[in-house]
Amino acid sequence: MKASISDLPFLIFGSPLIEQAEIDEVVACMESAWLGTGPRVAQFERDFAAYQHLQPSQVAAVNSATAALHVSMVAEGLEPDAEVITTPMTFCASINAIIHAGLTPVLADVDPSTQNIDPAAIGAAITPRTRAILPVHFAGRPCEMDSIMEIARKHDLKVIEDCAHAIETSYHGRKAGTFGDFGCFSFYATKNVVTGEGGMIVGRDDARIARAKVLALHGMSKDAWHRFGDQGYKHYQVVEAGFKYNMMDLQAAIGIHQLARVEKNWKRREVVWNRYMEAFADLPIGLPAPPAHDTKHAYHLFTIMLDEARSGISRDDFLNAMNARRIGTGVHYLSVPEHPFYQQRFGWKPKHWPNATRLGRQTVSLPLSPKLTDADVERVIDAVSGIVCRTGKITA
Ligand SMILES: Cc1ncc(COP(=O)(O)O)c(C=O)c1O
């Protein structure tokens, strides 16, 4: 007898794959009673640095990518209201971090095929007040870093890479996050490496990373966390007004083991990605552009496009139809100018960034977690094919 849809488990979008090693490490961390920033954070930083081909002095663990972006921009010491060019196809955190650093976000439209910021649009958005570019490696696909770094050199601009989707990403043999002055990574619960909440700043310049580290812990002098260790009490000095952005050992306990499996999980997501590409090839939906030559895509998001005229169903009806089949989906993203706060604050109108607006109104992210079984993947494929082929008439 065929199971009815209501008997099927809900497939949670972005569900992380947590294994016994993480659980044991968290327990060991709790038993050690050192929960805050300590030896496990130091180990996670060393491991992350090694994975990104960097020195430990070039990374700083924090409690989110939002914190990483904020601290990076503060550490750059740009003058108030300086303009930072970024993409409208991103999470609000990229924009909010610019605002909280006292800077002004300026949007440059995306390439409609790659969904990444278009270098030509960056060039057109430069003004005498532009001081930085904040590219986002959307879905894990690297931005055109040769062109972006060329623009930055020509106009003497800082580059802060938003690598929230891009832990495994590389471009022409070089890891994402290592092109610009800073790269900011996320270990949020749906990301490719998770710590629940968490982030990492990487940077070329040791001194700038040291400053970011100080800023991330109240502005207290270097390695202030050592003050509670067994070496005797150590005084710290507050050297600037910082933030409370440090990562805890409890978070790093998860991250250490997640990072150890980052490539294994990436391989699994590549299999799922390729299966989706093959299964959807003949459907009237838009598919992600194949990874570019000499790059590594992190396969963080698999986004399809629902153009109602072609697909026979609106994006939002499609989301509801997937939900009715007990499959969780995501939207990455409604373009930034669609949100009322930015419209009111900056006068932004979606029509000024037509590519991002169209993509944001058509896009749906399908489950891509390494936790998906082959049967889960086939369930997603059957659901998508069934919904689209019925041109909007959903039957459960
Ligand atoms: C592109 C992008 N930037 C920044 C962030 C913020 O990351 P976090 O949740 O770690 O602060 C996210 C998180 O979803 C993101 O997707």
Side-chain angles (χ1 to χ4, degrees), residues 87 110 120 151 221 322:
T87 167
V110 296
I151 295 170
S221 50
M322 289 294 278

Side-chain angles (χ1 to χ4, degrees), residues 64-66 69 90-91 93-94 136 162 164-165 186 188 191 197-198 333:
S64 69
T66 308
L69 289 164
T90 188
F91 188 50
S94 319
V136 177
D162 183 330
H165 303 176
S186 175
Y188 174 64
K191 296 296 193 274
E197 299 283 0
Y333 299 93

Side-chain angles (χ1 to χ4, degrees), residues 92-152:
C92 58
S94 319
I95 312 294
N96 293 347
I98 297 173
I99 297 170
H100 290 310
L103 308 170
T104 303
V106 170
L107 302 180
D109 208 353
V110 296
D111 177 303
S113 151
T114 66
Q115 306 193 50
N116 273 331
I117 195 165
D118 179 352
I122 297 177
I126 289 175
T127 75
R129 286 173 53 212
T130 308
R131 293 290 177 274
I133 307 171
L134 195 153
V136 177
H137 302 291
F138 179 81
R141 181 191 179 96
C143 293
E144 282 305 322
M145 291 315 292
D146 283 348
S147 310
I148 291 173
M149 294 312 293
E150 183 53 38
I151 295 170

Side-chain angles (χ1 to χ4, degrees), residues 14-72:
S15 186
L17 180 59
I18 304 290
E19 294 194 356
Q20 196 58 41
E22 288 92 305
I23 295 169
D24 291 345
E25 191 77 37
V26 167
V27 171
C29 179
M30 295 190 78
E31 284 171 353
S32 81
W34 191 293
L35 307 184
T37 306
R40 286 185 170 82
V41 169
Q43 184 187 335
F44 187 44
E45 287 179 335
R46 283 195 301 275
D47 294 353
F48 195 80
Y51 178 66
Q52 300 294 1
H53 313 304
L54 294 168
Q55 297 303 315
S57 54
Q58 293 177 294
V59 310
V62 287
N63 58 15
S64 69
T66 308
L69 289 164
H70 184 201
V71 153
S72 297

